[in-house]
Amino acid sequence: MKPFFITTAIDYTNAPPHIGHAYEKILADVLARFQRQRGREVFFLTGVDQHGQKVQQSAEREGIPPQEFADRVSEKFLSLWKTLGISYDGWAATTAPLHKEAVQRILTDLKERDWLYKATYSGHYSVRQEQFLTDKERGPDGEFGPEWGEVILLDEENWYFRLSKCSEWLAGFLEARKDFVTPDFRQTELRNAAAKITGDLCISRPKSRLAWGIELPFDPGFVTYVWFDALINYISFAGYGGAGQELFEKRWPCDHHVIGKDILIPAHGVYWPCMLHAMGFPDAAMPHLLVHGFWSLRGEKVSKSTGNVVDPDALAEAYGPTALRYYLMRDAVMGRDADFSEERLLLRHNTELGNGLGNLVNRTLSMTRRYREGAPRPVELSPDLVAHRQADTESLRSFIIQMEAAQIHAGLETIVDLVNRANALVDSAAPWKLAKDPDQSDRLDAVLATLILSARIAATLLLPVAPDASAEILRQLALDPIPLTGEIVIADLPAGYVCGEPKPVFPRLELPAVEDAAA
RNA sequence: GCCAGUAUAGCUCAGCGGUAGAGUAGGGGACUCAUAAGCCCUUGGUCGCAGGUUCGAAUCCUGCUACUGGCACCA
């Protein structure tokens, strides 16, 4: 089977990571971990976009070389991914020589096949902001505002990609491949927007204006436009065209480009498929786009200007990566926006993980040790317990279907249901009563074993989202995760089974009590 | 302006043509294995507004309002 290939957007190394960056990487990480659990080979690629004007400007302000600036910000991303347990296989930093060579090879090839041409553009140019202005930048009076400083008319030569040559192909492709974008309403949006995009794409910047980029191999006065450079990371770091071509052919096409809704149109929905088409990729080898929503903060859009940026490092520090990963995956419906609040993070963690799963494991192990010295004897199951185990098997099947469809929030709900069912069984079976009645001895063994197996399924399914906590639960249960490869068999407890010692896996979390002092 | 999305219990959401649902928060109860967790019962909604189609609409259609996004306009 083809390896599972998943990417994230590469993050721009101009500003440190915020909650949205963390969400996207966790989302991709969960899908990658799930596929590994399914026994599939996985190539999970993430990285940083290091070129471009903002990086150059920020570096100049600090009086350091742009590479140094980009590397410094990249470190913050790398460190956060380590904290959050992002299990990427490939790191795409766009200043890497391998990537630069791939971009240049692609440019040369496109030029040779007449996909690129040089032309002169004239327009309004802000000297202070070092950029061309479009009508978007005009004020209500039709003039450019004072924030742009001196605005001049400038003629500039640049290289263009014949995007317009692809418009018919793209329309046909979007018609034929209804599942190019998930969720489907995003594809509708893309189809409508793509029809309006006309003209060619400028893919160069003169070095006099921007030096921090990949030089055009056939015209050293220019560097490559940052989007053209950045999108190619998805294939360059997978081995395209270079020494890794053989690997690339195994991996491509990409199963999911995980991206935010802001960069679907036009970058990933128009430029990227057209670029691939121009490079000669057949329609069947087009990737799939998985588009996620945004997190707002208490109903307000997260933005640097309003200062309501949520720092994921601080959250991981305060509540731990498990609670943060679980909350982000549980509260956001795939593709839709969600609202972030620490209260909800704590609520999800404390009720579902702590009171639900954590307590189930704790009480089950505690009773098993107390009444059976950790070793329930194998006995015949009564019909109610057979039904319980069948329901668990159904949950496991549903979970796999939900995760294959990238519906992580739904998968987690399935786990919650399973846990609630097990907790209800504890109360209805009341092992503490069974333990007092010698006639009920077999029943006690059967109930305890059933609970242990339910906990094992829950921990197995939670592994992609909460790998450390799930591994700890399995350690306490003294069981391996259920293999999710091939035909799934839910075995009974192994011969000679003895459970481990319980210890709270999800200690109760509370809001830091600092606000009172300020009030 | 155009194209989409969303609007259901205090909160987060499911339901998408046939007597309004879940979790959580609030109230009550029985229990004691457990992280004062868990279990059972329960309060709570003219399903954004107005029309229409239908025997029947939260569910389909039209219009409006609010919020979100994309594109465009802003000579």
Side-chain angles (χ1 to χ4, degrees):
Chain A
M1 193 181 202
K2 174 184 121 35
F4 181 77
F5 181 18
I6 186 166
T7 71
T8 70
I10 52 175
D11 298 314
Y12 199 56
T13 51
N14 182 47
H18 59 68
I19 195 73
H21 294 113
Y23 170 64
E24 180 175 289
K25 272 60 191 178
I26 293 169
L27 177 51
D29 182 61
V30 168
L31 296 176
R33 285 177 187 267
F34 173 71
Q35 290 296 339
R36 289 193 196 104
Q37 222 179 327
R38 292 284 279 152
R40 204 161 159 195
E41 192 187 328
V42 168
F43 185 62
F44 172 17
L45 180 67
T46 187
V48 281
D49 180 10
Q50 301 178 304
H51 288 127
Q53 191 179 44
K54 283 180 189 168
V55 170
Q56 179 176 300
Q57 284 171 346
S58 300
E60 275 167 13
R61 257 199 306 280
E62 296 197 18
I64 56 172
Q67 182 74 59
E68 191 181 326
F69 182 87
D71 284 344
R72 192 195 294 168
V73 181
S74 300
E75 273 306 314
K76 293 186 184 173
F77 283 97
L78 281 163
S79 142
L80 179 63
W81 304 155
K82 193 174 177 201
T83 302
L84 295 178
I86 307 301
S87 63
Y88 55 89
D89 304 295
W91 180 248
T94 54
T95 54
L98 170 143
H99 175 70
K100 183 181 161 188
E101 284 158 22
V103 170
Q104 293 187 328
R105 218 168 28 237
I106 289 164
L107 286 167
T108 302
D109 175 61
L110 289 177
K111 177 169 174 289
E112 277 170 8
R113 295 193 295 115
D114 195 36
W115 278 97
L116 306 181
Y117 65 92
K118 199 173 188 180
T120 301
Y121 175 82
S122 44
H124 297 278
Y125 182 78
S126 160
V127 178
R128 184 196 289 171
Q129 295 291 331
E130 298 180 22
Q131 69 175 75
F132 275 94
L133 303 177
T134 66
D135 288 340
K136 267 189 219 176
E137 274 82 41
R138 289 178 195 269
D141 55 356
E143 299 297 318
F144 295 110
E147 71 273 20
W148 301 108
E150 187 190 1
V151 176
I152 58 170
L153 272 171
L154 184 71
D155 287 348
E156 190 175 281
E157 277 202 304
N158 264 309
W159 284 88
Y160 290 83
F161 169 65
R162 296 187 193 280
L163 189 67
S164 52
K165 224 174 115 181
C166 296
S167 56
E168 240 175 79
W169 168 79
L170 183 64
F173 172 71
L174 293 177
E175 201 52 48
R177 272 279 299 275
K178 298 272 193 242
D179 60 349
F180 173 53
V181 184
T182 305
D184 53 2
F185 72 86
R186 293 280 174 215
Q187 173 131 359
T188 308
E189 208 168 271
L190 171 62
R191 179 168 39 80
N192 295 331
K196 290 184 190 167
I197 292 171
T198 54
D200 290 332
L201 175 66
C202 180
I203 56 138
S204 70
R205 293 292 181 270
K207 275 191 187 168
S208 56
R209 204 143 74 70
L210 173 67
W212 185 232
I214 297 174
E215 187 178 282
L216 295 190
F218 43 80
D219 201 339
F222 295 87
V223 298
T224 312
Y225 170 52
V226 70
W227 263 119
F228 205 87
D229 162 1
L231 287 164
I232 287 173
N233 97 83
Y234 297 135
I235 55 176
S236 64
F237 288 95
Y240 179 71
Q245 179 64 25
E246 207 171 305
L247 268 175
F248 178 76
E249 280 167 19
K250 268 177 66 192
R251 289 166 176 162
W252 196 259
C254 184
D255 293 82
H256 296 299
H257 287 311
V258 180
I259 60 170
K261 64 181 184 179
D262 57 328
I263 54 175
L264 171 63
I265 302 164
H268 285 80
V270 177
Y271 300 163
W272 184 227
C274 290
M275 283 164 67
L276 289 168
H277 176 67
M279 281 179 235
F281 284 80
D283 290 11
M286 288 295 153
H288 169 256
L289 307 181
L290 183 61
V291 182
H292 63 76
F294 280 177
W295 284 87
S296 58
L297 181 63
R298 286 185 275 278
E300 281 182 30
K301 199 171 161 180
V302 173
S303 82
K304 269 178 277 180
S305 51
T306 56
N308 64 343
V309 178
V310 187
D311 175 9
D313 266 304
L315 289 170
E317 173 75 22
Y319 306 115
T322 298
L324 181 58
R325 285 174 65 106
Y326 183 79
Y327 166 67
L328 292 177
M329 291 302 103
R330 178 76 172 99
D331 240 23
V333 176
M334 171 55 67
R336 303 248 302 244
D337 291 348
D339 191 55
F340 183 90
S341 87
E342 292 184 40
E343 287 82 357
R344 283 194 66 79
L345 187 158
L346 296 181
L347 187 75
R348 288 294 195 192
H349 175 272
N350 289 341
T351 58
E352 295 181 352
L353 291 183
N355 300 348
L357 177 58
N359 189 40
L360 172 69
V361 171
N362 212 288
R363 67 202 304 212
T364 299
L365 292 183
S366 172
M367 290 186 288
T368 305
R369 289 169 67 85
R370 177 183 298 212
Y371 305 133
R372 283 294 180 267
E373 278 135 15
R377 295 166 302 134
V379 292
E380 193 82 5
L381 293 180
S382 57
D384 67 320
L385 296 181
V386 170
H388 181 91
R389 293 189 185 195
Q390 271 168 358
D392 280 1
T393 305
E394 281 310 306
S395 291
L396 187 147
R397 295 223 171 90
S398 305
F399 177 87
I400 288 172
I401 291 165
Q402 287 156 338
M403 292 295 281
E404 294 284 1
Q407 300 293 305
I408 299 171
H409 64 286
L412 290 175
E413 197 172 349
T414 300
I415 299 176
V416 169
D417 288 344
L418 180 144
V419 168
N420 289 344
R421 200 164 53 232
N423 272 318
L425 175 63
V426 175
D427 281 79
S428 66
W432 50 92
K433 284 182 190 159
L434 301 178
K436 289 175 190 158
D437 181 355
D439 291 345
Q440 298 282 3
S441 187
D442 281 5
R443 169 81 176 157
L444 177 59
D445 285 298
V447 167
L448 291 174
T450 300
L451 291 170
I452 290 167
L453 291 170
S454 289
R456 184 192 189 195
I457 294 173
T460 298
L461 302 187
L462 193 62
L463 270 166
V465 172
D468 294 346
S470 300
E472 172 58 18
I473 291 172
L474 289 163
R475 195 191 62 76
Q476 291 183 18
L477 292 172
L479 289 168
D480 291 328
I482 295 159
L484 299 185
T485 56
E487 191 66 25
I488 293 160
V489 181
I490 302 182
D492 212 327
L493 291 176
Y497 172 80
V498 182
C499 77
E501 196 177 332
K503 183 168 175 272
V505 179
F506 306 102
R508 201 173 179 78
L509 294 174
E510 281 172 33
L511 276 178
V514 284
E515 295 93 51
D516 293 355

